[in-house]
């Protein structure tokens, strides 16, 4: 979503949603990089919301709808054990996924800026 916005590929309404919702998230929970600047150094590091932070899930359908409108369908995943934990707080964890033999089911390519 942020890549689409940075490239000017979102409608005015979609960009408004992206900016205001991202700002809400920034104000609502801690950025793991502010606590540990190295947390995303691993290329596969990914953040997951804690299941108890239900209020953080509310905007997700809006993001998914916009991505689908740009032919970038995504899915919401839940896991009791998404990977090796690098960071954790009351709202989220950042993990390196467990090794898998599964191949990616999709990829996203955007033109260079």
């Amino acid at each position: 979503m942020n890549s689409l916005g940075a490239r000017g590929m979102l409608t005015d309404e979609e960009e408004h949603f992206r900016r205001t919702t991202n700002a809400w998230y920034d104000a609502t929970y801690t950025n793991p990089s502010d606590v540990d600047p190295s947390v995303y150094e691993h290329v596969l590091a990914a953040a997951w919301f804690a299941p108890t932070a239900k209020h953080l899930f509310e905007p997700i359908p809006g993001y998914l709808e916009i991505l689908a409108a740009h032919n970038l369908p995504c899915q919401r995943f839940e896991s009791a054990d998404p990977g090796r934990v690098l960071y954790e707080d009351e709202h989220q964890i950042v993990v390196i996924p467990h090794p898998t033999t599964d191949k990616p089911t999709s990829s996203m390519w955007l033109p260079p800026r």
Side-chain angles (χ1 to χ4, degrees):
M1 176 79 85
N2 291 333
S3 294
L4 292 173
R7 288 170 172 76
M9 298 172 76
L10 298 175
T11 67
D12 289 345
E13 183 180 319
E14 292 168 340
E15 180 62 10
H16 176 75
F17 174 86
R18 182 185 78 85
R19 286 182 181 266
T20 58
T21 308
N22 284 0
W24 176 80
Y25 274 121
D26 290 343
T28 303
Y29 71 94
T30 303
N31 180 338
S33 295
D34 291 343
V35 177
D36 179 0
S38 69
V39 73
Y40 289 111
E41 285 180 359
H42 192 287
V43 69
L44 295 178
W48 290 67
F49 290 135
T52 55
K54 297 200 182 302
H55 63 292
L56 298 177
F57 292 94
E58 292 172 10
I60 291 175
Y63 284 104
L64 297 178
E65 182 179 315
I66 292 169
L67 291 170
H70 289 268
N71 202 29
L72 297 169
C74 294
Q75 291 180 292
R76 176 181 160 181
F77 287 97
E78 295 183 23
S79 175
D81 184 18
R84 182 170 56 89
V85 177
L86 302 174
Y87 170 88
E88 184 171 10
D89 65 30
E90 65 182 304
H91 297 116
Q92 66 193 316
I93 61 172
V94 177
V95 303
I96 296 174
H98 295 299
T100 179
T101 57
D102 295 341
K103 295 186 189 237
T105 57
S106 64
S107 62
M108 182 176 97
W109 179 87
L110 291 174
R113 291 169 104 173

